[in-house]
Amino acid sequence: VGLSSLDLRKPELTFLGLPKIDRPTAQMEKNWVFFERVGVLHMIYSFSPFHVFRCRDFGKLEFETVLERRISLPVATDSIRIRNSINPVEYDSDHLLHVVHKVYPGKQYVFWAVLIDKKTLLPAMISAAPLVQGWASAPASIIYACSAVALPGEVLLFGGLNDSGSGAWRIPRADL
């Protein structure tokens, strides 16, 4: 996982480096997601257990743990791990919208919405039903959510399909 800076005036993307966290990591790590809160870069390292870091020195890309907690989830009734999908985005004045996923046999991806409380940084709600899922929401098993935009009446979820196409799903806020 690396961080880059985008200069829209040039346009140019500059690699800044690899984040350093206050815990050991494996040789290969993925599914870290970043968000800004009150002018500070934060990172959700894992969703189960829920582990959040805060950047303590942006110049050195050093992050420290601010929250690590096991949380009870309605979608955790099997042994398949829940993973981060997209960087959390603004949802409303009190919450960030985050999307998480599980990968079932046959590489069937299933995604849920999570609202994260901006004050506590803890999940406040998880959707009862999946937002999108392989073979149900598109003619593909490998669907990977890449980004979301929260609009006043709906959420737009963008993703890849079987590594050969892309799609967008319009999800009414009432369905979250």
Side-chain angles (χ1 to χ4, degrees):
V1 175
L3 289 172
S4 296
S5 173
L6 175 63
D7 184 339
L8 292 173
R9 293 171 301 207
K10 293 186 179 179
E12 183 176 274
L13 187 66
T14 304
F15 180 68
L16 299 176
L18 305 175
K20 298 165 200 71
I21 61 176
D22 62 5
R23 63 170 287 152
T25 59
Q27 183 175 359
M28 185 173 132
E29 294 268 355
K30 63 180 191 172
N31 296 51
W32 298 4
V33 294
F34 297 87
F35 64 97
E36 178 273 333
R37 186 73 200 119
V38 194
V40 178
L41 186 62
H42 286 72
M43 171 183 65
I44 302 174
Y45 173 77
S46 65
F47 197 79
S48 184
F50 192 67
H51 195 158
V52 179
F53 288 86
R54 171 182 51 223
C55 187
R56 74 169 168 241
D57 185 333
F58 189 76
K60 295 179 182 177
L61 297 180
E62 292 179 351
F63 287 76
E64 62 188 353
T65 296
V66 292
L67 182 64
E68 186 171 12
R69 189 172 295 173
R70 294 210 177 273
I71 51 178
S72 178
L73 300 167
V75 297
T77 57
D78 54 32
S79 62
I80 299 172
R81 205 172 102 210
I82 298 171
R83 301 176 184 172
N84 296 311
S85 294
I86 68 162
N87 295 324
V89 298
E90 290 289 321
Y91 183 75
D92 60 28
S93 61
D94 297 320
H95 301 96
L96 298 169
L97 172 66
H98 184 38
V99 175
V100 296
H101 72 276
K102 287 185 176 189
V103 182
Y104 288 94
K107 298 285 270 183
Q108 182 190 29
Y109 284 69
V110 180
F111 297 86
W112 290 268
V114 177
L115 293 182
I116 295 176
D117 184 285
K118 288 181 180 179
K119 291 179 185 151
T120 67
L121 299 182
L122 286 167
M125 186 281 304
I126 186 163
S127 57
L131 294 180
V132 295
Q133 64 187 58
W135 296 123
S137 304
S141 66
I142 302 174
I143 297 175
Y144 198 77
C146 299
S147 62
V149 175
L151 299 173
E154 65 186 354
V155 170
L156 302 178
L157 184 66
F158 301 92
L161 305 171
N162 281 348
D163 293 332
S164 63
S166 60
W169 294 269
R170 298 176 92 105
I171 303 159
R173 282 188 178 226
D175 289 356
L176 298 182

